[in-house]
Amino acid sequence: MKNKWYAAIQLAAVYVGTVVGAGFATGREIVVFFSQYGFIGLLGIIVSGFIFAYFGAKLMRISVKIKASSYQEFTIYLFGNVIGTMINILLLLMLIGVCAVMFSGAGAVFEEQLGLDKTVGVIFTIVLSLMVMMVGTRGLFAVNTFVVPIMISFSFILFILSISLPGFLGEIFQMETITWKTISSPFSYTALNLALAIAVLVPAASEIGDEEVVKWGGILGGIALMMILISSHFSLIMLKDVYLYSIPMAIIMKNLAPQLSWVYILVIYGEIFSSVIGNIYGLERQLRSFIPLPSMVIIGGIILVSYLISFVQYGTLLSFLYPIFGYISLVFLLFLWIKPVPK
């Protein structure tokens, strides 16, 4: 039983590490989907946590039942052959786009926080990714099991420091005008991240092969994501002109705990990196099913295409791509809700 809980915690760490990518770890994604809406955004985060826990667990339980080795098999089961094939092509493009966002985010860390050229950050991330991908699934689990607990710890450090600032309660209960975007944000946000996370979660769950373990992995991962979101939101609402920064969480750390700011930059980079290798892992598992080439050749191709797209400004990529992907992914969330777990 102890080994099962350890496996569930490891899977939860992979779940969190896949979702907590460039936009999440830097704070930009949380601002776009939640923090700009004040108290309504906080309610949206709570809704998102429940969606992550329930649908993450369901997604992985289905993967174990149908023995899906890649997200292609999962989407075919969910949508049928014709629509499933169309969704797979769309997901492939989305995952490559998100890989580009992650590389761009890594470059932004080097440029904005270290004063180095963005290209240096992107190339360094590519080399590191290739080294981890040579190890395979064990490398993916190892990176996330190490990085995710540190990320959670730093989120709570910032939260504790933020609640002591003057005007904190006033900012929490700041009410913005309720619009369609404020209501739909938690659903489009979770739909986006779940649709992208299937590239990692489906093969990882199938490899574990235990329905009870993957169920608890999904639930624990969803709870952890909600906790990180809430603590990050409470910090972000205290930063004036939060939209001016590509990496607002690093600015908050510099303001509140400058002695820890360099460590936190490494944590942000670690989360971006964990998401990069997760997406590359999922894409490679998908592409090798119909491209008869060695794994490292396919990985090299994925990285090359993502690298070229990553030259677009990080903030521009995130603000433009993520909301569009979110609304497209709502279809995926709807079908996942309707489809029962096979008996």
Side-chain angles (χ1 to χ4, degrees):
M1 191 64 189
K2 187 179 178 182
N3 288 337
K4 285 195 172 188
W5 276 111
Y6 180 69
I9 291 167
Q10 273 198 316
L11 185 58
V14 170
Y15 188 4
V16 173
T18 304
V19 173
V20 182
F24 192 123
T26 60
R28 283 284 297 195
E29 191 176 288
I30 302 169
V31 172
V32 169
F33 283 95
F34 301 111
S35 296
Q36 65 173 319
Y37 303 128
F39 183 66
I40 303 299
L42 176 60
L43 297 179
I45 287 171
I46 295 167
V47 171
S48 295
F50 283 107
I51 295 172
F52 274 131
Y54 175 76
F55 285 101
K58 184 175 182 180
L59 185 157
M60 289 191 280
R61 286 174 63 208
I62 292 173
S63 302
V64 170
K65 287 284 190 181
I66 65 172
K67 294 181 172 63
S69 60
S70 72
Y71 73 83
Q72 179 183 11
E73 295 169 36
F74 183 87
T75 48
I76 293 294
Y77 169 79
L78 206 61
F79 298 100
N81 280 315
V82 178
I83 298 175
T85 302
M86 292 167 62
I87 294 289
N88 279 327
I89 294 168
L90 185 61
L91 279 172
L92 184 69
L93 297 174
M94 286 169 65
L95 284 165
I96 290 172
V98 171
C99 270
V101 170
M102 298 307 158
F103 281 133
S104 187
V109 171
F110 276 71
E111 186 176 50
E112 191 172 288
Q113 302 301 318
L114 304 178
L116 298 172
D117 191 86
K118 177 182 176 179
T119 310
V120 174
V122 176
I123 291 172
F124 177 77
T125 307
I126 287 171
V127 173
L128 213 56
S129 300
L130 287 168
M131 290 169 64
V132 172
M133 293 311 296
M134 286 177 185
V135 181
T137 310
R138 285 183 295 118
L140 177 71
F141 274 78
V143 168
N144 282 289
T145 307
F146 174 73
V147 171
V148 169
I150 299 173
M151 180 68 189
I152 293 172
S153 301
F154 270 86
S155 294
F156 279 101
I157 289 170
L158 283 180
F159 164 66
I160 291 165
L161 293 171
S162 297
I163 61 176
S164 61
L165 294 174
F168 176 73
L169 284 176
E171 289 296 334
I172 287 179
F173 295 104
Q174 183 74 35
M175 292 293 291
E176 300 293 332
T177 306
I178 297 175
T179 63
W180 167 246
K181 281 191 81 173
T182 60
I183 296 168
S184 64
S185 268
F187 299 99
S188 59
Y189 173 76
T190 48
L192 161 71
N193 283 290
L194 279 167
L196 296 172
I198 65 168
V200 180
L201 297 183
V202 169
S206 294
E207 196 159 308
I208 290 171
D210 187 309
E211 190 180 350
E212 193 71 14
V213 168
V214 301
K215 182 184 82 172
W216 282 106
I219 292 169
L220 292 172
I223 292 168
L225 284 165
M226 181 169 65
M227 290 164 62
I228 300 170
L229 274 169
I230 290 173
S231 59
S232 300
H233 169 75
F234 284 162
S235 302
L236 287 163
I237 58 175
M238 299 306 294
L239 179 63
K240 189 180 178 183
D241 299 323
V242 68
Y243 267 109
L244 297 178
Y245 306 103
S246 293
I247 309 176
M249 292 300 287
I251 303 299
I252 293 167
M253 181 59 84
K254 275 185 179 179
N255 293 340
L256 298 181
Q259 68 275 19
L260 295 175
S261 60
W262 289 104
V263 182
Y264 191 65
I265 290 165
L266 291 175
V267 172
I268 289 176
Y269 180 78
E271 282 300 345
I272 292 171
F273 179 68
S274 69
S275 200
V276 166
I277 59 171
N279 281 310
I280 293 171
Y281 167 77
L283 279 166
E284 186 272 329
R285 291 292 285 262
Q286 164 72 351
L287 289 171
R288 79 178 183 191
S289 62
F290 54 88
I291 297 178
L293 290 172
S295 290
M296 292 310 295
V297 174
I298 295 171
I299 288 167
I302 294 165
I303 288 172
L304 178 62
V305 173
S306 302
Y307 171 69
L308 295 173
I309 300 171
S310 74
F311 281 102
V312 180
Q313 187 65 28
Y314 162 63
T316 306
L317 269 176
L318 190 66
S319 301
F320 176 71
L321 288 178
Y322 271 33
I324 292 173
F325 286 172
Y327 289 117
I328 294 170
S329 301
L330 283 170
V331 179
F332 168 79
L333 193 66
L334 178 63
F335 273 73
L336 183 58
W337 177 53
I338 294 169
K339 199 81 171 181
V341 177
K343 293 182 181 178

